[in-house]
Amino acid sequence: MSALDGISRLLIDGNNLLHRTSGGVDAGSQRLLLAKLSGAIPPTIRTVLMLDGHPASGTDRRQRVRRGLEIHHAGSISADDALLYLIRDVAPGDRAHLTLVSDDRSLYEKARRLGARTQRLAWLEALLDRPPGPGRAVSVGAGKPPPQAPDDTEREPWKPGRGATKKRGNPRRGGSSR
């Protein structure tokens, strides 16, 4: 039985998770977290990583990372309120298949009262830290099979000056006379 069984939607308190895992919400931390989420959460589970504030200038409030994974910015309201709005947008009968992930006690309790399941950040961190196994993606671009290594018997060994390391440029520089 998988920890994700019975979940069709996963809502993540992104700022809460980023502060816990990397100490901040900078772009590099976000990219690393999105890569980990892409590898750990199957695309069949609609996942939203909710962040406080507005997105970078020129980008949408909702950005699709890959099928089933989106990053949302709460804009002028708090991320907690935006997450609660997303829960309310789901039909009450379907909320049992929705899981909110946060360590914010107030948000956690409000989500439960609305009928959503809840998990603490430690639960999600355990999923993200699992080693890849059968059926688990390794990276964001894991839809393709890994490239096959060429057979070394068919390939000529590396030699300096084979093209990649051949000097190019102005032949008059460096004392070369042509």
Side-chain angles (χ1 to χ4, degrees), residues 2-20:
S2 167
L4 297 169
D5 284 348
I7 299 174
S8 63
R9 282 189 80 167
L10 190 62
L11 304 178
I12 303 168
D13 185 349
N15 286 70
N16 199 240
L17 181 60
L18 283 164
H19 281 292
R20 179 169 169 153

Side-chain angles (χ1 to χ4, degrees), residues 80-113:
D80 293 359
D81 287 340
L83 287 165
L84 292 172
Y85 287 134
L86 288 177
I87 294 170
R88 287 184 189 108
D89 285 344
V90 174
D94 294 335
R95 292 179 189 168
H97 299 287
L98 183 149
T99 298
L100 171 84
V101 181
S102 180
D103 275 352
D104 183 320
R105 178 177 225 117
S106 173
L107 176 59
Y108 196 87
E109 293 303 321
K110 289 174 184 174
R112 280 189 158 180
R113 282 194 295 274

Side-chain angles (χ1 to χ4, degrees), residues 31-43 66 69 127-147:
R31 282 190 301 274
L32 179 60
L33 177 59
L34 290 169
K36 286 183 174 185
L37 287 169
S38 290
I41 310 295
R66 63 140 166 92
L69 177 59
L127 284 175
L128 297 178
D129 291 338
R130 276 190 334 202
R136 288 214 37 223
V138 178
S139 68
V140 174
K144 299 180 237 173

Side-chain angles (χ1 to χ4, degrees), residues 8-89:
S8 63
R9 282 189 80 167
L10 190 62
L11 304 178
I12 303 168
D13 185 349
N15 286 70
N16 199 240
L17 181 60
L18 283 164
H19 281 292
R20 179 169 169 153
T21 58
S22 61
V25 293
D26 60 278
S29 298
Q30 288 178 28
R31 282 190 301 274
L32 179 60
L33 177 59
L34 290 169
K36 286 183 174 185
L37 287 169
S38 290
I41 310 295
T44 55
I45 297 176
R46 292 183 52 207
T47 304
V48 172
L49 179 71
M50 182 65 72
L51 298 175
D52 283 309
H54 295 277
S57 180
T59 58
D60 293 331
R61 279 182 58 186
R62 296 178 181 173
Q63 301 160 32
R64 183 177 180 198
V65 176
R66 63 140 166 92
R67 186 174 66 90
L69 177 59
E70 294 181 357
I71 185 168
H72 290 202
H73 292 268
S76 301
I77 62 173
S78 72
D80 293 359
D81 287 340
L83 287 165
L84 292 172
Y85 287 134
L86 288 177
I87 294 170
R88 287 184 189 108
D89 285 344

Side-chain angles (χ1 to χ4, degrees), residues 146-166:
Q148 296 295 323
D151 187 2
D152 287 339
T153 58
E154 297 176 17
R155 201 171 89 177
E156 184 180 334
W158 181 86
K159 289 189 267 184
R162 203 174 64 166
T165 59
K166 192 178 257 184

